[in-house]
Amino acid sequence: MHHLSSLLGLGLLVAPSSASFSAQDAPVFTNLDVFQLEVAADPRIAPGGESVAYVRRSMDIMTDRARGSLWLVSADGGRHRPLVADTTSVSLPRWSPSGDRLAYVTEVAGHGGEIHVRWMDTGETALASQLPESPGALAWSPDGTRIAFTMFVAGEEPTLATPPKAPEGAEWAPPVTVIEALKYRADGSGYLETGNTHVFVLSAEGGTPRQLTSGDFDHEGPLSWSPDGTRIAFSAHRSPDYAHEPMESEIWSLSVATGELNALTDRDGPDTAPTYSPDGRRIAYLGFDDRRMGYHNAGVYVMDADGGDVRALTAEFDRSIAAVQWAGGSEQLLVQYDDRGERRIATLGLDGALTPLVRNVGGESLGRPYTSGGFSVSRDGSFAYTAGTPMRPADVALARPGASAVRLTALNEDLLAQRSLGAVEEITWDSSVDEYELQGWLVKPPGFDPEQRYPLLLEIHGGPFAAYGPHFSAELQLFAAAGYVVLYTNPRGSTSYGDAFANEIHHDYPSQDYDDLMAGVDAVLAQGFVDPEQLFVTGGSGGGVLTAWIVGKTDRFRAAASIKPVINWTSTVLTTDIAAFMPGYWFASPPWEDHDAYWRRSPLSLVGNVTTPTLLMTGEADHRTPITESEQFYAALSLRKVDTALVRVPEASHGIARRPSHLIAKVDNILAWFERYR
């Protein structure tokens, strides 16, 4: 059985249209509209709860990049105004403990990112730092006199031979680069410098920062000061073998005065995101016992400030906690988690009692409808968060204890109220292989007529341990505007349905997630408004894997577009930037010990079955699923004389649609390929 229900009435963020024409007369969403979209991100409620500072991300059509400006809105939605707007980009707004100042990071000419401090009573701003690298994880000391942060510190690059000196005026080739580290490149960053991330502290009035940590280890935020200002807690993996243990980390407590380090946790698994309780007695944090599974639920733990009396608060809760903060005192926490494709915020007591508060967190992921978003808490337990709907990207919302949430901004009404968008509806169906109920969503073309028959476009999420949900998606709206009914789903392996559902694909991906997707297509066909002869399929990353797998298993689709896929697991594991992770968690052993396991799960093993015209697309700077994966499938299909094309996206990393023009190019080329066969 399947169930279909509308998601248009979530209410909080769906403002009535101010357009003078009916929805049927409004133009559809177009590719250039992508440049007009705005997103609220990183909302930071003032300590007293009277206002919210946030990063307002917009798209610069001249530079083809997102840029962030710093805005402030009062708790009643009034006095919505920019604080910093005439700069390249602003990030990490953080209130001082008294709320009299606001620190943030922005670029300075001749520098990278620098820390600035704004005095809220006068509006005066001071440059507080002159740093060699951009800072991260800003955190004010409790007395407001210092700011802690993390920063990369370059080390000495390895060398082998010393080259001879070139003659004066000679133009020799650049010198060679010697690599000795296991992780030597990162997607989105390219080839990495030698060095590590360390913790620093800086006077809030500016000056020279003091480095508090050292060694060949990375120290990660968020940073949390003890209420007496003597210690800082953070997460780090300081084992000599840290590069080979990608899931391991501990909570550390650092003396600000002496630099003395104390490890507060010692289990096998990651412990992250520590936060001191307001009374200083406890530290809450996130983590899990590493079972070497493809997926683990992260839980909330509380321990004494010295590391004693560790308690798991969410051991019986079958969802992964993404964030935790103390809420208005030392006896209650606010947590964030995903449930059935929706990101939610709930209170969590020290007895483990969890009470959901809001369920519409999200809207920060503009391209595809992934779960996203965040929140911050004031002294009285009020919280600000990013809130979105299927029809709108993230706005700022605020909730008081015991009261309903209120939307404070409406960033996209000027654009989207003037557009006819595709309606988003939930659909559920039963698995064809076991007892699971499966969930997905349909995006119908604007002006949808149930008496007509439409082409269906199946869009598959990546990860594979990730989740789609009822969230705004520019890409899916563009597909719907082109006349497709779009189905997007959470097959087994998706997060937000519990540990067992996600690990259905442990050491077995792709597998019956294929059956879940095909059953979803059949459930839509049963509605009667889709032409069964006009089926198309696409997906990116993990969705690219499944797209390539699907065309090797069935010929029911007219055309396919596999975006940034894994085609050959052996070559991926040995060229990806997460090579330390994949063999130990997604496979039982490295490829040289069990070649058959890697080949059996590789779409390349099925290429002899493929007759479906298949497009391949990957960024040329993708270090997660390198473009050589797409090139292998393209070559194989070409040799077999199957219709195929390879689209290379210059300068793009795995986040292939990060720049607006790349998002447009991705969608337009997929649609152009499908139109050949529609």
Side-chain angles (χ1 to χ4, degrees):
M1 295 178 62
H2 58 264
H3 172 68
L4 197 63
S5 62
S6 174
L7 291 172
L8 299 182
L10 291 180
L12 178 63
L13 294 180
V14 182
S17 172
S18 59
S20 60
F21 43 73
S22 68
Q24 289 80 4
D25 296 326
V28 299
F29 187 75
T30 68
N31 53 14
L32 284 178
D33 286 336
V34 170
F35 281 102
Q36 305 304 318
L37 294 172
E38 296 184 279
V39 177
D42 201 5
R44 292 286 155 172
I45 190 169
E50 68 277 4
S51 59
V52 180
Y54 73 98
V55 176
R56 183 169 176 170
R57 292 180 185 154
S58 57
M59 309 299 168
D60 188 329
I61 198 169
M62 300 307 293
T63 63
D64 187 27
R65 296 185 184 276
R67 57 183 297 172
S69 53
L70 183 59
W71 282 66
L72 187 72
V73 60
S74 60
D76 62 1
R79 292 181 58 77
H80 189 207
R81 58 200 185 279
L83 297 180
V84 182
D86 56 348
T87 186
T88 303
S89 195
V90 178
S91 63
L92 295 173
R94 297 295 182 268
W95 290 98
S96 66
S98 65
D100 65 330
R101 288 160 293 165
L102 189 66
Y104 58 92
V105 174
T106 189
E107 292 185 9
V108 174
H111 301 255
E114 299 286 2
I115 300 172
H116 293 70
V117 176
R118 179 187 179 95
W119 277 256
M120 302 306 294
D121 57 349
T122 67
E124 296 294 330
T125 299
L127 173 65
S129 68
Q130 296 190 63
L131 304 174
E133 301 284 346
S134 295
L138 272 59
W140 286 83
S141 65
D143 62 3
T145 63
R146 294 162 292 175
I147 299 172
F149 62 94
T150 60
M151 185 176 69
F152 177 80
V153 177
E156 186 174 344
E157 297 291 346
T159 60
L160 291 174
T162 301
K165 185 177 180 180
E168 184 176 351
E171 296 183 4
W172 286 15
V176 301
T177 299
V178 177
I179 295 171
E180 294 183 341
L182 173 60
K183 187 175 179 65
Y184 60 92
R185 58 185 177 181
D187 188 69
S189 300
Y191 285 83
L192 301 174
E193 290 184 75
T194 299
N196 296 95
T197 300
H198 289 289
V199 178
F200 293 77
V201 67
L202 172 73
S203 168
E205 295 180 355
T208 302
R210 179 163 60 97
Q211 184 173 333
L212 300 182
T213 60
S214 60
D216 296 331
F217 313 108
D218 290 323
H219 306 80
E220 305 295 341
L223 309 177
S224 179
W225 289 78
S226 62
D228 63 6
T230 63
R231 306 194 71 85
I232 297 173
F234 55 86
S235 177
H237 183 20
R238 292 178 58 89
S239 162
D241 202 32
Y242 72 92
H244 292 265
E245 299 173 340
M247 296 297 285
E248 179 64 22
S249 63
E250 308 296 349
I251 304 299
W252 293 79
S253 174
L254 167 73
S255 169
V256 178
T258 68
E260 174 197 11
L261 276 169
N262 294 320
L264 302 182
T265 60
D266 63 356
R267 67 158 157 203
D268 184 8
D271 292 318
T272 63
T275 175
Y276 276 97
S277 61
D279 63 11
R281 295 175 53 201
R282 302 182 181 93
I283 295 175
Y285 61 99
L286 302 177
F288 57 81
D289 295 317
D290 189 358
R291 298 176 289 124
R292 304 301 191 272
M293 301 294 289
Y295 173 80
H296 299 80
N297 277 337
V300 178
Y301 295 79
V302 170
M303 62 183 168
D304 291 345
D306 63 1
D309 191 24
V310 177
R311 288 181 288 155
L313 301 188
T314 57
E316 304 303 317
F317 183 58
D318 190 20
R319 295 292 184 268
S320 186
I321 307 298
V324 58
Q325 296 184 37
W326 294 94
S330 299
E331 301 299 322
Q332 184 171 265
L333 297 152
L334 280 190
V335 297
Q336 181 175 278
Y337 62 94
D338 293 344
D339 181 56
R340 294 184 63 82
E342 293 182 321
R343 181 151 291 183
R344 304 185 179 199
I345 295 172
T347 60
L348 177 66
L350 296 184
D351 60 355
L354 189 141
T355 304
L357 298 176
V358 297
R359 56 183 283 186
N360 62 329
V361 184
E364 285 191 74
S365 177
L366 274 180
R368 295 193 281 166
Y370 284 110
T371 56
S372 62
F375 72 98
S376 63
V377 191
S378 69
R379 283 191 298 261
D380 70 354
S382 300
F383 62 94
Y385 67 99
T386 50
T389 72
M391 315 308 285
R392 297 291 185 271
D395 275 295
V396 177
L398 184 145
R400 302 282 191 197
S404 298
V406 177
R407 182 184 68 172
L408 304 183
T409 65
L411 300 184
N412 291 282
E413 286 307 300
D414 53 348
L415 170 69
L416 297 181
Q418 319 299 322
R419 295 291 182 268
S420 178
L421 297 176
V424 180
E425 299 175 346
E426 180 186 2
I427 181 172
T428 61
W429 62 95
D430 293 336
S431 166
S432 62
V433 295
D434 51 33
E435 76 284 358
Y436 284 118
E437 179 190 70
L438 302 166
Q439 184 185 31
W441 292 265
L442 293 176
V443 187
K444 295 180 177 179
F448 174 79
D449 181 354
E451 300 303 316
Q452 293 188 22
R453 302 183 95 189
Y454 294 86
L456 177 71
L457 192 159
L458 171 63
E459 210 284 341
I460 311 169
H461 73 63
F465 301 109
Y468 276 164
H471 312 298
F472 180 84
S473 165
E475 294 185 28
L476 303 194
Q477 286 293 338
L478 289 170
F479 289 145
Y484 292 85
V485 169
V486 183
L487 170 65
Y488 66 98
T489 83
N490 284 331
R492 70 190 62 218
S494 300
T495 57
S496 79
Y497 301 88
D499 180 87
F501 186 81
N503 280 312
E504 281 285 327
I505 63 169
H506 178 61
H507 292 176
D508 194 21
Y509 161 73
S511 59
Q512 291 176 331
D513 39 3
Y514 163 81
D515 299 288
D516 295 346
L517 294 167
M518 295 305 100
V521 170
D522 292 338
V524 179
L525 288 173
Q527 298 297 311
F529 49 73
V530 164
D531 183 349
E533 301 300 318
Q534 294 290 321
L535 306 180
F536 300 84
V537 59
T538 187
S541 192
V545 176
L546 280 164
T547 298
W549 188 262
I550 284 169
V551 296
K553 299 282 284 186
T554 180
D555 61 0
R556 71 186 302 190
F557 293 91
R558 296 294 295 268
S562 179
I563 313 301
K564 54 188 182 183
V566 171
I567 295 300
N568 180 338
W569 280 108
T570 295
S571 55
T572 295
V573 163
L574 299 178
T575 57
T576 182
D577 65 335
I578 55 173
F581 172 79
M582 280 188 176
Y585 292 87
W586 287 7
F587 290 87
S589 57
W592 54 88
E593 293 182 4
D594 192 355
H595 171 73
D596 289 346
Y598 283 76
W599 182 246
R600 185 170 60 250
R601 292 164 54 185
S602 296
L604 190 58
S605 70
L606 302 177
V607 73
N609 301 334
V610 178
T611 59
T612 304
T614 302
L615 174 78
L616 287 306
M617 183 188 304
T618 300
E620 293 181 346
D622 191 330
H623 292 307
R624 185 61 47 83
T625 57
I627 197 169
T628 50
E629 294 300 302
S630 289
E631 289 170 339
Q632 289 179 67
F633 211 56
Y634 172 74
L637 292 174
S638 296
L639 289 170
R640 294 196 58 250
K641 299 182 181 180
V642 177
D643 283 2
T644 186
L646 175 66
V647 177
R648 304 174 63 97
V649 185
E651 301 179 0
S653 63
H654 196 64
I656 194 171
R658 188 167 296 151
R659 298 182 70 172
S661 70
H662 283 165
L663 187 155
I664 292 169
K666 175 188 174 185
V667 172
D668 285 357
N669 280 277
I670 291 171
L671 288 174
W673 180 253
F674 288 171
E675 285 301 309
R676 286 190 181 184
Y677 305 97
R678 179 170 162 177

